Every structure is written in structure tokens, then in C-alpha cells.
Amino acid sequence: MPRIFFKKKILDTSSIPQADTHSEEEKREANKITLVIFGVDKFEETEVKCFDDCIPTLDTNDLVWINIDGHPSHQLLKKMQDHFKLHPLLIEDLCTEQRPKVEPYDSVLYIVLRSLYYDHERVMIENEQISLILGPNFIISFQEREHHLSTFIKERIRSRKNRQHNLSPDYLMYTLIDVVVDNYFVVLEKIAETVDDLEEELINTTDALVLRDIHLLKRETIIMRKSIWPLREVLSKLHRGDFEQISPNITLYLRDLYDHTIQVVDTIETFRDMISGILDLYLSNIGHKTNEVMKLLAIAATIFAPLTFLTGIWGMNFKYMPELTWTWSYPIALAIMGIVIVSMFIFFKKKKWI
Amino acid sequence: MPRIFFKKKILDTSSIPQADTHSEEEKREANKITLVIFGVDKFEETEVKCFDDCIPTLDTNDLVWINIDGHPSHQLLKKMQDHFKLHPLLIEDLCTEQRPKVEPYDSVLYIVLRSLYYDHERVMIENEQISLILGPNFIISFQEREHHLSTFIKERIRSRKNRQHNLSPDYLMYTLIDVVVDNYFVVLEKIAETVDDLEEELINTTDALVLRDIHLLKRETIIMRKSIWPLREVLSKLHRGDFEQISPNITLYLRDLYDHTIQVVDTIETFRDMISGILDLYLSNIGHKTNEVMKLLAIAATIFAPLTFLTGIWGMNFKYMPELTWTWSYPIALAIMGIVIVSMFIFFKKKKWI
Amino acid sequence: MPRIFFKKKILDTSSIPQADTHSEEEKREANKITLVIFGVDKFEETEVKCFDDCIPTLDTNDLVWINIDGHPSHQLLKKMQDHFKLHPLLIEDLCTEQRPKVEPYDSVLYIVLRSLYYDHERVMIENEQISLILGPNFIISFQEREHHLSTFIKERIRSRKNRQHNLSPDYLMYTLIDVVVDNYFVVLEKIAETVDDLEEELINTTDALVLRDIHLLKRETIIMRKSIWPLREVLSKLHRGDFEQISPNITLYLRDLYDHTIQVVDTIETFRDMISGILDLYLSNIGHKTNEVMKLLAIAATIFAPLTFLTGIWGMNFKYMPELTWTWSYPIALAIMGIVIVSMFIFFKKKKWI
Amino acid sequence: MPRIFFKKKILDTSSIPQADTHSEEEKREANKITLVIFGVDKFEETEVKCFDDCIPTLDTNDLVWINIDGHPSHQLLKKMQDHFKLHPLLIEDLCTEQRPKVEPYDSVLYIVLRSLYYDHERVMIENEQISLILGPNFIISFQEREHHLSTFIKERIRSRKNRQHNLSPDYLMYTLIDVVVDNYFVVLEKIAETVDDLEEELINTTDALVLRDIHLLKRETIIMRKSIWPLREVLSKLHRGDFEQISPNITLYLRDLYDHTIQVVDTIETFRDMISGILDLYLSNIGHKTNEVMKLLAIAATIFAPLTFLTGIWGMNFKYMPELTWTWSYPIALAIMGIVIVSMFIFFKKKKWI
Amino acid sequence: MPRIFFKKKILDTSSIPQADTHSEEEKREANKITLVIFGVDKFEETEVKCFDDCIPTLDTNDLVWINIDGHPSHQLLKKMQDHFKLHPLLIEDLCTEQRPKVEPYDSVLYIVLRSLYYDHERVMIENEQISLILGPNFIISFQEREHHLSTFIKERIRSRKNRQHNLSPDYLMYTLIDVVVDNYFVVLEKIAETVDDLEEELINTTDALVLRDIHLLKRETIIMRKSIWPLREVLSKLHRGDFEQISPNITLYLRDLYDHTIQVVDTIETFRDMISGILDLYLSNIGHKTNEVMKLLAIAATIFAPLTFLTGIWGMNFKYMPELTWTWSYPIALAIMGIVIVSMFIFFKKKKWI
């Protein structure tokens, strides 16, 4: 079941700025850190043990991408803050869940977005937070879990190597966000399939399990909307050129990305409308079925109640019931019952219940 | 059933810019390309084999309209990109489903809109993507399927030949969009008919098929709204004169088109309100019918249950039941039952159930 | 039943600008044309045969009002277009249904609004399109049907003869729109009565006819809203002084009209809320009634089912049923049944069903 | 029941400007006119017979407040229009119902608002229109009915006598509006009580009367919202300093008033949400009760139907039914019935119906 | 149950400015006043008896924070108004319930917000009003009840002692608001738990208590939204730098706070959507259960009604019923009944009711 996300203090952030005691220890940061270097005719990818190994590279003129998987450890954050002179608020935000946003700090741009992907094994949509720090010649990305996203990005960068902008950090940022947004479409396609499946199932069944599926689907679109809606504003700000870290020749790409995000949001809204339509259809189906059953009940009740009553009458044991001894009373009684049945049928036909 | 549409990678676009290997082959483009030339006293329409045949014409001063049916092939896109210096993003967007939008690129204007038409054979509303590229002396249009739209446009252009603006590419663009918007009204009229039919059917029936029809109709208005709503913004941008490709003397026409689009959107909203009103009416009807059946059941139950019980009493086989042997007990029993029936009727009249 | 309206091609407009062949014929225009001349101490009203009869008057300095009832014929439109140099788009819009709008053309202002009036005979709200063309010293009005509106306007103009602004075409336009807006209030009053009637009926009945009335009322407010909502924007544009045809000393009047339109729109929204409240009340009433019937059924079923079962037991024909021959079994059996009834009543009292 | 209000022609306004014939008569104005004079150390309140008695005071430098109760008569309006040179539109608006608005005329400011008060005797919320005309040294107020509002205002003015602004007409206007807004809070408190009462009642009952109360409450909030919502805009315009009649040193007070109005509107919205929540709860309760009754019915039906059938079998009068003569058939039959009952119970337990 | 809050006159404010008579008395203020002094290397916290004890400290250069628990008394307010030259409106607002707002007065900034905290003992969300007065070198805070909030704030201030901004009153204000907003997340987490619990409960039960829980939860989100929504605007105004009391170097912190508030509001909206989804699921579940029960009833009714009727037929006491004496009639009767049962089953299978 998709979880509701909101600012949870993942780490006790209050202790970070004062974490002097711990920084002494030569404890290894728990996170997997990947260092990618882009230079003239250069594309190197190495996994480093700790952040200190990245520092020599950062002092060169090459474009550096540092990717961190998992929740960053205190030591790592402390070292980063010291080296890049990051604002304490930025460090705090890195440790908590955020809604998608873009925030300029003195020298860097801080971007948060949420990545959605369909988990085929657990048959549900997962979402995780991606944080980006965009500096003059570096970009740092934080992912909650280690997964295929980064490999997908690297492939994309390699394949586009010969395009003109691929050496600037803002183009790299564009590529990262683009991969995330492209993944949204994969998830949308999955939802579209489920919506179609549900509609077809509804024709054949009023099973309660369908109901649960509708509910879960609705819930997933609520979560998706919450994850993607604010991204619209982020991309709007980015492509309007409010930030110096974004060069004008990348605006066209960001505008395209902005359009795609609007398309995603539009499609989610359409899904919501459709799912609520499906729920209405389901409820109406139940109403219709109940109505049909009621009609049958009414027919059974109104036909057999008087008949059974009549048999009851003539089944009484009173001594003086003259008709009991007449020769033709049995056939006459059966005839009376037949007339009752026929007139009932005519009544129901008139009421359009049969 | 109308399908949900969204960005599907129709072609593997990543390979297009690097498609050097394929461009060597003299493979024919799969698409049907129609070339229309407008000049002073000139109106020529020819079907060309490949894009290269269009190039000589493009170098003249005549206004050229190139219409491409079907999904454009790699070769075609590659040649176009090279000849018109189109942006790679524009080429990418041409290969995927987009929401209606207008995007200025260096020298050209890229417009996407969705055409709706009512398919009489399959009794449903079809929608397809129309892409327009507006250049200084040419306009290129892409349609997903080859159909009557283009012939309709050509007729329109011919009939308006003597108007003053018909030689500029922006007036041609206006005509293309106008034909698409006019088609919306045809579809609206079809929906209006269906809405009226549904209302009349509802008076006579609570059939579940009506329910399915309401659902499908609702779904169709959702899809229509998604297709047309963004066009409003596109036309607003176009008629405000934000783009240099649009000359001021066409503004009046675009404003008119903008008004018509708002009218379409308004009417769709009205339909949505009406359809949800019809659904409410249907559900209330079911509620009312169920209520009526319940009343009959209650009457049957409350009248016959005590009567049957009484016949049961006097049908028991106890040896010592003195009333069984009395001479007048049978008529008295019948009288008691009659009193029960009458008092029941009075009770129900008081409750307003009969 | 109020019809959904939208752009219907009432006339085949494409042929109008080329209608040279027909203009030769001296065919009389089918429309009733009324010519009203306002001058210094002058107020003349004449019905003219064809548009040509108006031309001499138009060349004087007097203010001229030309009112046309019914759908304008080709000949009439052609002559008007030639004389006033009207834009082809304006002519096209005159022939189709439009949403309320105001559009400035070179020399004239084109205004569309919808008139609503309550048709007492057919017990429904009718709506029709009113088009106004406001020129430097003339105003042309188009009404779909000939009715009392024009006489009402004329009366109003005569009675206000001595006010200062009554000789300008913009004040005349204000008066025309004001009469239309005043009519909205008459319709609103009618709806308010119906809403009150419905509420009172609901107390006494759950008749399905009430449901149909609610539905029709809802539908009428939807249509009304669609007709009036855009007028708000029209009047906002007019009173803000965006157009040169509107003199500043009429702004106060237009602002007042704008306020009244907002009041109408507000009241319609209030009606919509109320009607949906009434529908909820109706549905809840049905739910409540069904619940009450169900309770009765349950009582009948749970009281008489065991009693009838007991009579069945002792009505069996087994040879060896010792209690059948006991002297006190009948009174004891009746006592057992009495106990069953009493304990049932206590159970239902506890459940609060009685 | 709160009535829907909208522009009703309370007086035939068309005749007012031409009402020369009537003004000759020395007919007394029907309205109660109260004249309050504020001067240096002066606070005089007198009830005058007709408007002419006010004129001498108006020519002094003192601040004059004229309060008129009831619908103003023709004569009164005519005299006022002549003396203050009021615009005919203002006079017309005074005679009709308006939505809250502020309108600047040449020398005066015209303000309309709606006063709400809870009528304890009729147990409902009444609303009436208050019109204010703010001039350079006078303020005129119109109330539909004579009631405690004016005495409350006077008390307030006297108690605040020593504040610095109390001698300007705009501060007097602020006080008048403030008293009206303060009354809104009294009404809100009353509604809050009713909402709480309703919630508690719902726990104990599913009475149809509760339903009616919910409906009436909902209706009252709709009317309240319609009355108060536009006031927000009026106060926004007033405190932004758009009008010369409002001095800057009163802005703080108007801003405070604006905040309170937003608070009222917010609270009404909250009530609407809550009431619709209560309605949902009521409907769900009914659904739940019906479900419970249905379960009982099903139990009665499924338990006793087979038992009664069995007694019927053995109650048949066939001559050759061997089991009837067996010695142990009666106890065996009872045992079979016992087994049926027990297996039914197990079935219902499994279905979680008991 | 969370109460609806709105402007209640907690104190009779009209008497405050004229409260000269009472100020003579040396009555001790009922409120607990805490005085916190921040200086260079100074952090002193003392509880003072009355406001006069604070005045000497206020005249130094140190930053002073005065916290007042409980509703401020007349004497206290009077003294504060005199000392800080506060506007009478500010004093009035302090005595009444307000919606969150920020208002600049001559020298001070007045901020109102609402604190939410989860009361574990009473299992509900409490909300109280926090008022802040921000002056050049002091900040005054008012809390309705004495609780842990203030101790939490002090801890936070102490722990952040070494940050650069901690000596300015605006940073103190930021800290106070930040603590309140952080508390919102605690409440959100509590609601998220409840939502998840409810969903799980719904699978197993259709208990009416779940319904009540859903209703209360919905109500709590309505109240939360009302409390937090306006804070968004307050923080937007604060971080945009509209007020001189806020220094630019605190803007980053306020922007972060603004983002968190938007996140809270977003999450509340998500909860509302989810809760209404849960309500739908609950209602559908009831509908489904009712449907299942109806099917059982129909089966019981339609199977046993004809069977019981047949036994009734052959249980009649007519003298001339030839079949009663036939040898094979009993087995044949049982066979007929068996055929009825089997054909019923086939009918229900076809109807998909079993």
C-alpha cells in the first residue's frame, strides 16, 4: 500500500552542526558514493570510499557528479557542509522528507523532486525523494535507495555525449530530472492498464475485491498527484530563468520538461475523474443488482403469501366448514389460486417488474 | 471505448540524431506526403514520393504546405531536421503524444492540437494528434491517420481563394485550426443528441445498459475536455501576438477562434454537469423503485403473516381445542381475518404507503 | 425541456461573401425590420420593407436604431456588410450561435448576449440570442424571435426621454442590455418560487415526479449559468472603458449593470446549492422511508416466523405426538406463543426499532 | 425558513424621477427618520417628522447622521435626491435589493451590506439590507426594519466618544459596519451550537426531523455566505484607500474589520464542510441501520423457512406416509429441525452476521 | 471532540481603554509571566510577579522575551498598552479569537497563529491561539494555556545559542513559529497512523464505530485546515520582506518555514482526499454486504415459498382430494419439490447469485 509521506525527521538534525565529537573518528560513511567525472573527451566513473576522496577532483576544472545512495550519514553531511559551505537549513532539509521544491542558496541551487517507479514484484507504485545540489562545476544527487535509476541516467548521458550542452552541470541536472519525469509516463501507462482492466471486470462482477482495487488505485493517484504537482512550479521557476545557475541555452529543454510535467498532471487528473466514474458505476451496479433481487423477492412474497394463506384457510380443522365436503371444492380452490397467480402477473407486468 | 492518451514513445527517438547509418540507404519514407503550392494565381497539389522532392519548391517564393499522414519515419524526420534546422526537442516531440501546446523555436513555431471526429461505424469519438510547424514561407502538418480532414481543408482554402490573407502561412495555419475546431462542434452536437436520448430513456427504464451508456458518455467528455482545454491557452497566446510568425492582420481571426474554443469548453462543462445530473436522476430512480418494491413487500408481509399465523393456529391438531367444534367458529375466524386486513389497510393509509 | 445551445450553422455562411449571384435578384428580405429614429425632439418608429429603406436615414445626423427579428437572410446580411463595411467574421458570427461576448471591429462594436424569459404557456425558460452592432450613430439589434422584448425597450426609452444621455447610441445599448438583465430577475423569481414549492412538496411526498422536477430545475440553472456567466466579463470589459465607442459618462450605468449581473450569477449559484440540497433531502427521505419499511418487515418476519413455525409443529400429522392429547396443551401452546411475542417486543424496544 | 433574496423592485422606481405630480402634495413621509448630531462636546438625537427638518442642521459644520427605518417613500427619496444631488442610479438601487457593494458617486460613497441577526422567537436567522450614503459631513443609513441595531450603534458611539476619530463620518461608517460584522459572530455562535447539538442527536437517533434540521442549517449557511462573501471585497476596497471619502487614519480599523470578515467567511466554509460531514454521517447511519435490519431479516428467513417447510411436509394429509405412524418419528423430526438451526448458526457465524 | 473556534469575546474589551478605575488597585495580574533576557553571553530566565517588574529590563539593550500564559488580565493589558504605546485594536484582538494573521502597527508587528498538539490522554487534537508582538528589542508571546511548548522553545534556543542570528528578536520569532510548525508534523503523523488503522479495520468490519471515527477524523482535518491555511499567507508576507521589523538575513529561514507550511497544508489536503476515499469504501462495503444479504433472502424466499405452498396444498382438509389416497403420491410430491429446488438452483446460477 502506498504510504503517505511527509517531513519525518530521518536523522536527528539538531545534532549535526554541533557534531564535532563524531567528526574526529575516522568512521567510514555508510553511504555508497559514486563519482563521475566529465571532461574534454573524458568520462570516468568510480566508486569512492568516503567523501574526502572526491575533494581532489573537485578542485580541477572538470565537471563532477557525486551520487549518494541511501540516507546520508552525519559524517558525510558534516564534511560536505564544510567543503561546499552549505547553509545549515539545506543540510536540515536533506535529512527530512520534503515536497518538490527549488531553493537558491548563496552559491548553489537546491532541488528536491520525487521519483516514482512501478515495483513489479510488490505490484505497487514506490516513491522516493531525489535531492540535487547544483554548484558552479559540480552536481550532487541524493537517492534514498540504490537502484537502476542511476544506471539509466549514465546510459543516457553516454548516448548523448556528442550533444553540445552535455558538459555543463545544468544540462546534467536537466537529464536527471528528465529521466525522473520519463519514469512518470511508465507509471501512468501502468495505471491506464489497471483502469482499463477494472472497467472490464466491472461488467462481469460486483465482487468486493474490485472495490478494494478501485480504492487502492484512487489512493495511488492521490499520492502521485501530491508527488508531482509541486514539480510543475519547480520547473516553471527553473525555465523562466530566475536562477543564475541555469544558463539560457538550456531554457528550451526545461520548457519541454515543464510541458511534459503538465501533461503528467493532466493525465493524473483525468485518471481521478475516470476512477471516480468507475466507482460510481460500481455503486450503481450494486444498486441495480439489489433492485433486481428486491423485485424477485417482491414477486415471491406477493405471489406465494396469498396462496399459502388460502391453503392455510382450508387446512384449518374447524368442524363446520361446509366447503370442505363439497365435491368440487378442491378444483375450485386450485382455480382460485390460479386466478390469483395470473392477476399478480398482470399487475407486475403493468408495474414493469418482469 | 475512448482510450486515454499520453506521451507514448511511438518511435525510439534517442536513435534519431545518431541515425547516420540509416540515412545512407535510399529507403523510401513510408509516409504519404502531399505538397500544396500557393502562388500568385497558383494552387497546385501533388503527392510526392519523398521529402527531397519538396526541396526545390521550398527555395522559391511560393507558400508551400507539406502534409504528412501517419507516423513520420526516421528518414523523413532526419531530412527535415537537416533542411529546416529544426531543434532536436521538436523532432522528439513529433514522435510522442503531446498535450495541445504552442512552442516558439528559433525560426519556426511548433503547434500541437488534437482533432476529434465522430466515427459513425464504431459509434465512438476518435481523437488524433495534429502537429503544425509554421515557418516563414512554409507550413508542415502531421496527421496520425490519413482521412477526410485534409480534403476538407483543401476545399475550404479553394473556396476562400479570393480573400486577402490566403497567401500567408499564418492564415493557412488559422484555416487548419479552424477546421479542427469546427469539427468539435459536430462532435458536441452528437453528444447533445445522446444526452437527450438518455434523458428520454430514463423515464421509461432503469435498465443497466443505460448506466453503461451514461458512464461511456461521461468518459468521452473527460477525454474531450483533456483534448480541448489546453487549446484555449494555445489560441490565447497566438492571438495576443506573442509570436513574430503571426502577423497582426490575422489577430481578429484568431480571437474569433479563441472565442469558439471557449464556447466548446463551456459546452463540455455544461454536458458534464448534465450527465452527472442524469446519473443522479438514474440513481434516484433506482432508489425510488426499490422503495416502491419495499413497500409492496412490507404490505405482503404485514398483511399475510398474521393471517397465515391464524390459519396455523386453527390448523393445529390438539385434541382439546374447544373452538374447533363450535358451529360459528369458521365464519367468526374469517371475520377476525377480515378485521385484521381492514385495520392493516388503515395503518398503511396513515403511513401513506398505499 | 430547455435545449443545450451551441454554435449551430444556422445559415450556410461560407456562401455569403460570394453570394453575388443572389444579390441581383430583388427578392424581399424575409425579416421584419423596425427602424427607430431619435433626433432633437424626434422619436419616430417605422417598419420598413427592406434594408435599402434605412439608408437615407443613416446618412442624416440622427441616431438610428434598426431592429431585426428572426434569422437574418443572406440578402439582408450582404447589404449590411456592404453598407457598414462589416468584417466577414462578424457576419459569420451573426449566423451562428455564440456565447455572450463583446468584440471590437474597426468602426463598430459587436455584442452578443442571451435573453431569458419565462414562457408561461409551456412552463419553461426560453433563451434566445441577442446580437448588437454599435456604430458611431447607429445601433443594429438582432433577435431570434419577434416578441415583447422590443416593445418593452421602446417603452423604457420613451419614459426616459428626458434623461440626458438618451440620444447617444451607447446609452441605447445600455438600455437594451439593462432590459435583458432585468428580465433575468423575473426568471430568478420564478425559479425561487419553484424551489420553495419543491421544498414544501418534499415534506409530504416522495413522489418520483418531484424528482423529475428537481432534475429539470437543476438543468435550467445549468443552462442559465451558461447563458449569463460570460455576460459578466462582457460588462466588465465595457465599463472599464476599453472601447472608444463607449463614452465615459455612461460608465456609471454600465458599472451598475455589471453589479446586477454579478448578483444574478450569485443567485444562480445559490440556487444550484439549494437544489443540490433539496436533492440530498429527497434522497435521504427515500433512505429514511426505506429504513422505516425495513423495520416493519423485520418486525413482521421476526415475530410471525417463529409463531407460524410453532403452529406448523403442532399441525403435523405424526401418530405419536403425546402433547396433542393433553388437556392443557392448547392453552399452554398459546401461552408459549404469547411469551415469544412479548420477548420480541422487548428485543425491538432495546434495538430502538419501535 | 430563510428566504432567497435578490433584486426585487420594492418600489416602482421608474416613476421616481418623474414624480413631479406627487411632490406637490404635503404628504408626510411614512418613514421614521432619526437625526443624530455630533459636534464639539455635542451629541444630540432627535426624531424628525420629515426630511425638510434635517436641512437646517446639514448646513452647519456639525457631523450629521440620518437614519431611516423602513422602505423609503417616494417623497423622501425625491427630496434627498434634490438636496444632495444624488445620482438617479443610486436612488434606484436604494429601492431594490442589492448584493453588498461599494460604489463611488461624484460626492458621496454608496455602501450596501446585509445585517444578519438571530430571531429567537421564530428560531431562524433573519437578514436585511443596510444602505449607507457617506458624504463630506453627513452619513445616511437605511434599514429595512426598525430594530435594536440602531440603539446598539448609538450606545457604541457614546461609549467611544472620547476616541480621537469619532467625529468624522468615515469613523461613524466604520462603527456602523463593525456593529453589523460583530452581529455575524453572534449568529455564528448560534450555528455552532446547532451543529454540536445535531452531532449529539445523531448518535441517538435516525429521526427524519434531524434530517430536516440539517437541511435548514445547510440552507442558512448558503444564505449567510451569499450575504457576507461580497462584503469581503467591499472592505478590501475600502481599506486599500481607493476612495477619497475615507481618510488614511481609519485604514487600520478597516483592515481589522476586513480580517474579521474573512474570519466569518472562513468559519461559514468550515460549517458547510461540517454540515456536509454530518449529512454523510446521517446517511451512513441509515445505511448501517438498514444493513442491521437486513441481517435480522435474513436470519429469520433462512432459519424459519426450512423449518416451516418441514412442518408443512409432515402436515400433509397423504394417506400413505409411512413415517407418520412410526413411534420415534416426532422426536426424530424435532432433532432434524434442531440440526438445521445449529448448522444455520454456524453458517451465520462464519459470515460474521451474528 | 474538536471545537469550532471563532472570535469569542473572551474579555469585555469595550471596558479596557476606560479601565481607569481598576488600574488604581494594586491587584496582582492573574497571569504567569516569564521573562527571558538574552545578552552577550547572557541567558537569564525568571518568573516575575507583575508586568512592572519587566520594565527595568526593557530599558536595557538586551533582547527581552516576555511570555504570558493564560488569558491576559485587564490590568496587564492596560499596563502593556501604556508602556509600549500599543494600538487599541491590537489590545482588542488579543482578547478575542483570531484567525492566523500578521499586522503591522506603528512600531510593532502583531502575529497570530494557532498551535496544534495531540492530547494523548483525551485522544484528540487540541488547538490554541498563540499571539506574538514583535518590537525593536523585545518579543511578547501570549499562550492560552501553560504547557510544554515554552520549555521546548527554550531548549531549542539554548541548543542553537552559538548560531549567528540568535540574538535578534526576529530570529526568536522565527524559532517560536518553527516550533509550532514542527508540532504540526507530529499531529500529521498521528493522523497518518489513524488513517492507516482505519483502512485496516475496514477490511474486517462494517461496524458503526468505524463510521464515527471516520467522521471525527474528517472533522479534525477540517479544523486543522482552518487553523493552518491562513498561516501560509502570514509566512508568505513575512518572508517577502514587507515589514521593517524583519531583517533580510532571516529571509532564508522564513522561506524554509513557508515551504514546510505548504507541505503541511498539502498533506492535510491529501488526508482529506484519503478520508473521503475511506468513507466511500465504507459505504460501498455496506452496499456490498446488504447486496449479499439480499441475495440470501431472495434465495430463501424463492426456494421455500413454492415448497411451503405445495405442502399447504396437500395439507388442506378437502374431502375430495383424490391424490391424497394414492399410494405413490407422497414420493411423487417429494420428487416435485426436489425438481423445484433443482430448477431454482439452476436459475440462480444463471443469475450469478450463488
Side-chain angles (χ1 to χ4, degrees), chain E residues 244-307:
Chain E
E244 51 180 23
Q245 286 89 346
I246 309 292
S247 61
N249 47 0
I250 211 173
T251 310
L252 273 184
Y253 292 93
L254 290 169
R255 192 188 61 192
D256 196 65
L257 209 50
Y258 174 70
D259 279 340
H260 291 170
T261 312
I262 288 185
Q263 201 183 346
V264 172
V265 167
D266 262 27
T267 309
I268 293 173
E269 289 304 312
T270 309
F271 283 147
R272 284 169 64 104
D273 279 353
M274 282 184 174
I275 292 166
S276 88
I278 289 175
L279 186 64
D280 282 353
L281 186 63
Y282 175 82
L283 291 176
S284 315
N285 263 342
I286 283 191
H288 193 262
K289 288 253 161 105
T290 308
N291 196 37
E292 208 167 290
V293 177
M294 291 311 294
K295 281 192 326 202
L296 202 87
L297 264 174
I299 290 165
T302 40
I303 286 184
F304 287 105
L307 298 181

Side-chain angles (χ1 to χ4, degrees), chain C residues 143-155:
Chain C
Q143 302 180 54
E144 286 183 22
R145 269 160 297 190
E146 178 182 350
H147 60 81
H148 58 285
L149 199 63
S150 48
T151 53
F152 193 28
I153 293 164
K154 281 169 223 151
E155 235 170 68

